[in-house]
Amino acid sequence: MATIMMLIMIGLLLLGFPMMIPLITAAVVGFVMMFDGFGQMGTFIQQMMGGIRPASLIAVPMFILAADIMTRGQSADRLINMVMSFIGHVKGGLAISTATSCTLFGAVSGSTQATVVAVGSPLRPKMLKAGYSDSFTLALIVNASDIAFLIPPSIGMIIYGVISETSIAELFIAGIGPGLLILLMFSVYCLIYAYKNNVPTEEKASWKQRAVSVRDASWPLMFPVIIVGGIYGGIFSPTEAAAVCVLYAFLLEFVIFRSLKLTDVYRIAKSTGLITAVVFILVAVGNGFSWIISFAQIPQAILESVGVNEAGPVGVLIAICVAFFIACMFVDPIVVILVLTPIFAPAIQSTGLDPVLVGVLITLQVAIGSATPPFGCDIFTAIAIFKRPYLEVIRGTPPFIFMLVAAAGLIIAFPQIALFLRDLAYPQ
């Protein structure tokens, strides 16, 4: 049955169907084979509806809406200007500023694609003018934007937390350390690249200009304070933090900055609604698919056939990293989390792995896969936004992928990179 379901998914994907169609078709075929007909189909539908019932998922459209408001407003530009004023003049400073701006905007949006648009659009022309190659520039923007998947708030972590019943608050704080590690690695590479290619530096900003940029960016910088401080200060839950972010984004862009008008609300709401609908359909269908494969004990059979159950904790983590990395090169990250997480759940439980550590590694692999050829979703976002050919977008990605994989290896070898802040906030 597992082979037939997999062949159906691959076949329909190759025919160009959107991801939800292969997923639900394979699940329905598996259900019919398992229960000899459609008589119990109501059970399958209940499982699908159950996938979108958890209250934690309310945070997803909230963070999408907040990111959409900020992307269309001035928040991103103010953050970029602040970062540029402090490090734009050092060797490789413009590239380092791009990576840092992606990290900061990820901390206020939680969306990799929103980060590609918000940071890449203004900074790519500046990098090209400064002498950086377009392949390096595009690869940096695409891969640095993936830090947004790790820095809270993270939509990927919310989906994983719901599926695995892991604390979203703990996942959020555990993503900070790995996100900063990746930013450091990217910054070192940007420095080396700038020296090797003799890229000129930007003009140094005065302390007065820096003070002005900090003042202008102080309002957007309150987003991570609200999210992290509010959650870990016990003021509100991650879901409530998402709602507060929407209110704050609205007040910021419509009232304080006045960068948007009330006539923009319909366009923003429509965009958010379309993205949310796609996400929730995928979550519902993915939950039904996961229930089918779990009921048929397919995960246990797969893990036994490849010997993962006997591999030990480190072996299981490596297997998880490889599986999620490869899957996200071809399939939407949310679908990969929904389908593969239940498959590895038995091995995670049997080896006693910390689900928060597993969640961080899964989120990192999803981020890597999203920026990796052939079908990483962020690659196609960059193609659409910057109007550049596919080969040019992916040409400069290998060094960044290598650094991201190295970061995953460091987290496996030194779990406290991810768990140190979690253990401080939530003593065991």
Side-chain angles (χ1 to χ4, degrees), residues 369-411:
S370 299
T372 303
F375 301 120
C377 62
D378 286 343
I379 294 173
F380 294 96
T381 300
I383 291 172
I385 297 300
F386 304 125
K387 305 290 191 298
R388 303 309 302 164
Y390 177 84
L391 290 178
E392 187 172 329
V393 172
I394 68 171
R395 187 176 296 125
T397 57
F400 294 98
I401 294 172
F402 174 80
M403 286 183 281
L404 289 167
V405 172
L410 287 172
I411 295 170

Side-chain angles (χ1 to χ4, degrees), residues 314-337:
V314 174
V316 171
L317 288 177
I318 293 174
I320 288 172
C321 288
V322 172
F324 276 82
F325 173 63
I326 293 175
C328 283
M329 291 165 59
F330 300 93
V331 183
D332 185 272
I334 292 176
V335 175
V336 173
I337 294 173

